[in-house]
Amino acid sequence: MTGPVLVFDSGVGGLSVVSAMRRRFPDMALAYACDNAMLPYGVREDAWLVERIPAVCQAAVEASGCSALVVACNTASTLALEVLRRRLDVPVVGTVPAIKPAARLSRSRHFGLLATRATVSRPYTLALIREFAGDCVVTRVAADALVGQAEGLLAGDPLDGEVIHDSLAPLWEDSDLDTVVMGCTHFPLLHDALVEASPRRVAWIDSGDAIARRVAQVVPDHPVHQGPGRSFVTLADARITSGLASFGFARPTLLSFS
Ligand code: DGL
């Protein structure tokens, strides 16, 4: 396996996973693909997503010649992992909310799940909660507006404090909640702003490092990067180009697929 590891998301959220992978494996060759033409995924119909995601991923896998695909999107993974694994010839690593680590960490047995509207109500997510956090209260909060905040931040826009405050508000209704799962890969990009907007100290956790460790199992002799990684988009857009460049990716190529 010689091609890069391809990281896929609807938009820039997967760059938080890129950061986690680089922290663990600084020399790993990475490529990035996003379906920015159809962002955000969190408010779209499942039946549409389950057709769209494999089509985009297949085109990106072929164009990048990757050795493995990381679906760095909880909204996509909680719905389409099985179909992706069936359709693609490369190993596929998914991203699902860090429910199990949160259940291990929470002392009060009450934690929050901050994710897209789709992810907080998916059967896959509910099954994870039943299996790993059966003795916990889990406050599920749909925070789709934060996806736009993260996209804007990477394009150089200022954050909107009111949007962040309102998105987090349901987490603070009970004073015993002590941990928050960032179940959308866009949210770690906002980590400092989320901490700043919190009325009290809680632990913020995400799946980035667990994904990096899983990639190392799937691609034990990982390809080493030589120069900037390639990137792929579904819509040419200067704003996303600058976000990708700030994470060291080359100017994106427009994906073509049917
Ligand atoms: N970054 C994606 C996730 O982890 C979702 C963003 C979107 O709604 O497109 O769920």
Side-chain angles (χ1 to χ4, degrees):
M1 291 199 258
T2 53
V5 174
L6 176 66
V7 178
F8 167 76
D9 181 39
S10 54
V12 297
L15 294 172
S16 72
V17 176
V18 164
S19 292
M21 290 170 70
R22 285 188 178 145
R23 267 196 298 277
R24 219 165 240 281
F25 306 107
D27 66 349
M28 186 184 280
L30 299 177
Y32 194 83
C34 62
D35 190 7
N36 58 321
M38 294 299 162
L39 177 83
Y41 274 178
V43 296
R44 293 191 177 274
E45 293 294 325
D46 285 5
W48 181 86
L49 284 171
V50 96
E51 295 294 324
R52 173 81 181 181
I53 293 164
V56 179
C57 286
Q58 187 148 18
V61 164
E62 281 166 18
S64 64
C66 66
S67 51
L69 170 68
V70 176
V71 183
C73 175
N74 296 263
T75 307
S77 299
T78 51
L79 179 72
L81 268 186
E82 255 174 57
V83 56
L84 284 167
R85 288 188 172 129
R86 263 200 318 272
R87 287 218 210 148
L88 300 176
D89 292 334
V90 294
V92 177
V93 175
T95 304
V96 299
I99 299 295
K100 194 176 171 182
R104 270 202 302 257
L105 194 69
S106 171
R107 285 166 174 264
S108 65
R109 316 312 291 150
H110 182 180
F111 65 87
L113 169 61
L114 192 69
T116 63
R117 185 165 91 194
T119 298
V120 296
S121 51
R122 285 260 156 76
Y124 191 109
T125 305
L126 302 181
L128 277 181
I129 292 173
R130 262 196 315 275
E131 186 173 355
F132 298 112
D135 65 333
C136 295
V137 175
V138 182
T139 299
R140 294 176 291 133
V141 177
D144 296 277
L146 294 181
V147 173
Q149 290 295 301
E151 291 287 327
L153 183 68
L154 279 247
D157 297 344
L159 293 171
D160 183 331
E162 203 172 311
V163 170
I164 294 175
H165 173 273
D166 292 353
S167 299
L168 300 184
L171 292 170
W172 317 126
E173 282 168 14
D174 284 320
S175 60
D176 66 343
L177 179 147
D178 64 358
T179 302
V180 180
V181 175
M182 292 181 279
C184 170
T185 53
H186 279 76
F187 299 170
L189 299 172
L190 301 172
H191 174 265
D192 293 353
L194 301 181
V195 171
E196 203 178 309
S198 305
R200 58 173 197 272
R201 224 178 127 99
V202 292
W204 295 86
I205 59 176
D206 65 73
S207 310
D209 191 55
I211 297 162
R213 282 184 275 118
R214 180 69 192 135
V215 170
Q217 289 169 348
V218 168
V219 191
D221 298 315
H222 65 253
V224 170
H225 74 76
Q226 338 244 339
R230 296 183 70 196
S231 69
F232 304 89
V233 293
T234 53
L235 177 72
D237 174 4
R239 286 165 62 82
I240 206 145
T241 301
S242 76
L244 290 167
S246 68
F247 277 70
F249 287 99
R251 201 175 180 73
T253 302
L254 194 59
L255 278 176
S256 66
F257 62 96
S258 49

